[in-house]
Amino acid sequence: MPSDQPAPVKDPVTAVAHANIALIKYWGKRSAEKNLPAVGSVSLTLDALKTETTVRFLSDGDKDHLILDGRSAGTEQVQKVSKFTDLMAGSNRPPVFIESHNNFPTGAGLASSASGFAALAKALNKACSLDLDDQTLSVFARQGSGSAARSIFGGFAEMKLGSDNSGDGDYAHQLYDENYWDIRLLVAVVSQAPKKIGSTEGMNRTAKTSPFYNAWIESSPNDIRNIKSALAERDFQKLGELSEHSAMKMHGLAISAHPSILYWQAGTMESIRKVWGLRKRGIPAYITMDAGSQVKVITLPEHCSIIKEALTELPGVTDVIEAKPGPGAHLITDTE
Ligand code: PMV
């Protein structure tokens, strides 16, 4: 540990963080090294999708351990969390034992890296007695995964771009808490398999090869402005239309990369068409998708059952998960 940091506590510390869905998407980095996003984003934290992470510093041994969903994680994943732990605890720290559990499929476009790094940041904050505020934790979480910066907060959050490349100005903040507006998100699970092209690789390839990349960057501030006004007015149609358009733009952009990046499966298309059909019949439902094949449907509580029923009947859909606005990252070892 660096001399200016307190020694890590011996007792295990457990934190929970929830996944979030970007209503206005982040895709592209302005610095790969510091993981600085090229565009801002606005998200909704989801109660139903969560990661629980326990951190324990060890008094002996020389390597870090990561247990992910009950199994020892692979070298690459251990290296990622070791690097992240160094970032927060300093590189002279003792080895750490981290146990993390997702209540949903890992790495399949359900934002497990967002909830994962937000939970880890929150747990390390306590385990190392750092006492950092949520803004600083969001700066740290961002370095694990861009979208994790937003999972520090409950409800609706905005990821801001810093005015320079130091990284200190690139963090999320809460726009409204989880009690502000009871909208719902239904996740049509199309595939439980981890995606073949991770978001970092996908973003880099897109930035390098898509002829539309600059247009994507230029159109982003307007999208952020508009979704913030839809939120302020609780205008569901506006929120839905903007969210769906942002997701389609992001996927169109990825498809326009060379070689093309296509996250969709047959069940993705079936779900999109089903939701569009329901909307034609007057049901307020809009789709969004991240770097994976799952289709997420933004709707209002009273329309959930009919949409769920329609999605469940599709041959390409294996499960439908319903989520409400969820809380920010928190410890479960004390009464914080
Ligand atoms: O947090 P990352 O680096 O896995 O990137 C996430 C990117 C998207 O989920 C596709 C969009 C977003 O803003 O969450």
Side-chain angles (χ1 to χ4, degrees):
M1 299 284 297
S3 53
D4 59 338
Q5 277 183 325
V9 296
K10 297 269 167 335
D11 293 336
V13 175
T14 302
V16 167
H18 293 254
N20 71 77
I21 179 84
L23 303 173
I24 299 300
K25 304 290 180 193
Y26 143 58
W27 194 255
K29 298 181 197 281
R30 66 180 204 282
S31 157
E33 193 204 336
K34 293 198 172 149
N35 208 25
L36 303 180
V39 291
S41 50
V42 171
S43 63
L44 169 65
T45 300
L46 305 167
D47 73 332
L49 305 179
K50 66 175 183 181
T51 301
E52 188 172 314
T53 298
T54 301
V55 164
R56 188 160 49 90
F57 282 99
L58 305 171
S59 43
D60 51 15
D62 56 3
K63 42 176 218 209
D64 295 333
H65 299 264
L66 172 65
I67 310 292
L68 206 52
D69 290 327
R71 293 196 186 153
S72 286
T75 318
E76 206 181 308
Q77 279 165 318
V78 178
Q79 276 169 355
K80 239 180 146 180
V81 299
S82 291
K83 200 171 143 207
F84 187 80
T85 307
D86 286 351
L87 209 63
M88 287 192 71
S91 49
N92 295 328
R93 63 177 173 82
V96 68
F97 191 97
I98 298 170
E99 210 170 340
S100 194
H101 179 75
N102 293 321
N103 72 343
F104 57 94
T106 301
L110 288 174
S112 56
S113 64
S115 49
F117 280 105
L120 185 56
K122 196 78 185 177
L124 285 170
N125 186 40
K126 176 78 176 175
C128 303
S129 312
L130 298 174
D131 211 16
L132 303 171
D133 61 17
D134 281 348
Q135 182 176 310
T136 313
L137 286 183
S138 179
V139 168
F140 275 115
R142 186 207 75 233
Q143 294 168 78
S145 155
S147 52
R150 302 182 308 235
S151 272
I152 295 292
F153 300 96
F156 297 89
E158 177 188 12
M159 176 73 202
K160 294 187 81 68
L161 298 184
S163 54
D164 58 26
N165 273 4
S166 68
D168 297 344
D170 289 75
Y171 53 81
H173 70 118
Q174 187 176 60
L175 294 170
Y176 302 99
D177 75 13
E178 58 272 32
N179 302 311
Y180 174 71
W181 191 9
D182 189 13
I183 65 171
R184 297 293 162 94
L185 189 99
L186 298 171
V187 184
V189 180
V190 166
S191 161
Q192 310 241 350
K195 55 189 176 256
K196 292 203 177 82
I197 303 174
S199 52
T200 298
E201 188 190 337
M203 287 182 200
N204 292 342
R205 190 190 300 173
T206 309
K208 270 196 209 127
T209 61
S210 168
F212 308 137
Y213 188 67
N214 288 342
W216 161 256
I217 305 283
E218 278 161 23
S219 68
S220 159
N222 211 25
D223 290 347
I224 305 259
R225 230 182 345 263
N226 288 339
I227 201 111
K228 281 165 80 174
S229 84
L231 280 169
E233 292 155 15
R234 290 196 181 86
D235 182 336
F236 184 76
Q237 188 181 339
K238 190 162 155 186
L239 179 108
E241 282 174 6
L242 288 163
S243 302
E244 187 170 295
H245 185 51
S246 176
M248 286 302 191
K249 268 202 288 189
M250 187 201 104
H251 282 270
L253 187 70
I255 291 168
S256 75
H258 185 72
S260 230
I261 302 162
L262 179 62
Y263 287 111
W264 300 1
Q265 305 283 347
T268 314
M269 281 299 296
E270 284 173 3
S271 304
I272 295 171
R273 297 232 172 261
K274 181 57 81 179
V275 171
W276 284 355
L278 290 168
R279 201 156 78 219
K280 264 213 168 117
R281 287 167 41 200
I283 294 163
Y286 297 87
I287 60 107
T288 183
M289 292 161 294
D290 287 325
S293 53
Q294 332 300 348
V295 174
K296 290 114 179 185
V297 185
I298 306 162
T299 189
L300 292 167
E302 59 273 31
H303 303 288
C304 280
S305 52
I306 191 164
I307 301 169
K308 243 184 189 171
E309 214 173 286
L311 290 171
T312 308
E313 277 169 9
L314 297 174
V317 173
T318 57
D319 193 13
V320 181
I321 304 166
E322 179 176 343
K324 299 184 210 174
H330 55 278
L331 297 175
I332 58 170
T333 40
D334 66 17
T335 52
E336 191 185 60

